[in-house]
Amino acid sequence: MKITICGCGNGAHACAALLSRKGHTVNIYSPLSNEVQLFKTNYANNNGLTLQIGGGLSAQAGSDFSDYDQEQKLKLNVITDKPGEVIPDSAIIIIIVPAFAHGNILRNIKDHVSTDSKIVILPSRGGIEFELNSILPKANVVAFQTLPWACRIKKFGSEINLSGVKNKIQAAAMPADMPQAFFRELEELLDIRIDRLKSILTLTLANVGQIFHPGIMYGLFKNNPTVTFTEAETPLFYESVDEDIAAMLSGMSDEVHAVACALKKVNDDVESDKVLHIRDWLLGSYDGLIGDTSSLHRMFCTNGAYKGIKAPLIRLENGRYAPDFGSRYIVEDIPYGLLVTRSIAEMVDVGTPVIDEVLINIGNWVDYDYLGKLAEVKCLASKSRLPEFYGIHSRENLCGL
């Protein structure tokens, strides 16, 4: 198939390499000209993409990578900042960008998308259903809960490391009655089992990134958000989850599930049983990669897919490093995740004290009063996908989504 990947981040690099490996014709599109030029330059200098497979992944029982060379040059078709060059002829368009870039990508490709086009949003994060209805209401879209892979760019445009692949992943379609055949096609394409949900609204609540990323950032730095490190002292992200952080993440997860249960009472398409506790999500996603399942904190620390992933930091002028509260773990997973869920919680009268603690304190760190601004939704119009921006102001408005 001819497939266009929209984006140039970690997931886009991994997806491009894996689909090229399968023999598909793969294009890369980004509206950012400087990004595209850098990608082209490094890709040409490397004579293709190098896909590096982590040891834990290649050793996984039954893994498709068990007999796969650790490095391989993989070819792409077109790398461009012009959507008209690649979108019209693509069988599948895969959007792999942070949630705050979804709207820009959708607006850039909408004039080149036909009624036969199939769009995959990987991952969707919270509130994608509102944005799709606003920009591409008639598009055929499958939205995924999260990326199928744990991956990191080693060198932009040329080298990508793949350290883990989830066993299954949740996804939902717009329109909801999209043929099951396309889901089977995606399972074969991405080498992953798909747990299909009735409604993308369920997917919004089942987004585990909204729990993991802000929650762990808060847990790691709540005692000293102004801490600095040498490069050698950079803390690991998932492997630093201790019992206290795990308990907080569990509390956040319980609150999200309570929101799903309350929402199901007014919208039967919401599948509250699919909004998994993070413990069950980890077991289902990384079975075989987790060394110790005796407790939630040990599951984080012994997950082979998370091994070596460091906390996001920024380099200071003195050569030391500080927590990066401008990373996508904050600027994506709060306004396009946790805050969307928090808004729905208000509509269905569910208290969220643990989530509120995270939002209030991270808000103080970044000088942005998330909960205070929630009442002033217009102030957040360019930063989030809150239901209120799409005419949804009550639980009754959520029916039928």
Side-chain angles (χ1 to χ4, degrees), residues 112-331:
H112 307 283
V113 172
S114 72
T115 54
D116 296 325
S117 299
K118 295 185 178 72
I119 299 173
V120 174
I121 300 180
L122 193 69
S124 60
R125 299 310 186 202
I128 188 63
E129 59 273 38
F130 312 135
E131 199 151 50
L132 285 168
N133 278 327
S134 175
I135 300 171
L136 278 173
K138 297 182 179 180
N140 300 302
V141 179
V142 172
F144 280 81
Q145 176 195 47
T146 185
L147 282 176
W149 324 283
C151 52
R152 283 292 183 272
I153 294 171
K154 290 196 70 178
K155 184 175 181 181
F156 187 83
S158 60
E159 297 179 40
I160 180 71
N161 179 266
L162 191 69
S163 61
V165 177
K166 297 177 178 68
N167 295 310
K168 65 179 178 179
I169 190 171
Q170 292 179 332
M174 288 182 69
D177 61 354
M178 183 178 290
Q180 183 63 21
F182 184 48
F183 279 81
R184 289 194 293 270
E185 186 176 39
L186 288 176
E187 285 185 319
E188 183 176 345
L189 190 70
L190 300 173
D191 288 319
I192 196 165
R193 290 183 294 121
I194 297 175
D195 181 9
R196 182 173 183 175
L197 305 180
K198 293 180 183 178
S199 168
I200 293 185
L201 192 54
T202 304
L203 204 63
T204 285
L205 297 175
N207 164 24
V208 294
Q210 66 179 331
I211 298 172
F212 286 177
H213 298 152
I216 295 175
M217 286 292 282
Y218 173 59
L220 289 179
F221 302 115
K222 68 177 182 178
N223 292 329
N224 186 6
T226 61
V227 65
T228 63
F229 308 91
T230 66
E231 187 172 7
E233 294 169 337
T234 301
L236 296 170
F237 190 68
Y238 298 102
E239 293 174 90
S240 295
V241 171
D242 59 19
E243 292 182 359
D244 289 340
I245 297 175
M248 180 191 61
L249 297 174
S250 181
M252 294 172 69
S253 188
D254 288 339
E255 291 174 359
V256 174
H257 186 259
V259 173
C261 291
L263 185 54
K264 183 175 177 59
K265 294 177 181 179
V266 295
N267 185 341
D268 196 50
D269 284 341
V270 172
E271 299 163 276
S272 56
D273 61 319
K274 299 289 188 178
V275 181
L276 302 176
H277 190 279
I278 55 172
R279 174 186 56 253
D280 300 319
W281 183 89
L282 283 168
L283 288 171
S285 297
Y286 292 114
D287 182 35
L289 281 176
I290 299 175
D292 183 352
T293 60
S294 62
S295 67
L296 183 57
H297 110 83
R298 292 298 301 157
M299 288 167 66
F300 277 104
C301 295
T302 64
N303 186 344
Y306 291 157
K307 187 173 180 60
I309 296 177
K310 296 182 177 181
L313 302 179
I314 54 173
R315 193 173 190 275
L316 305 176
E317 291 182 359
N318 61 5
R320 292 181 67 83
Y321 292 81
D324 183 6
F325 299 124
S327 74
R328 67 178 178 86
Y329 287 175
I330 303 299
V331 300

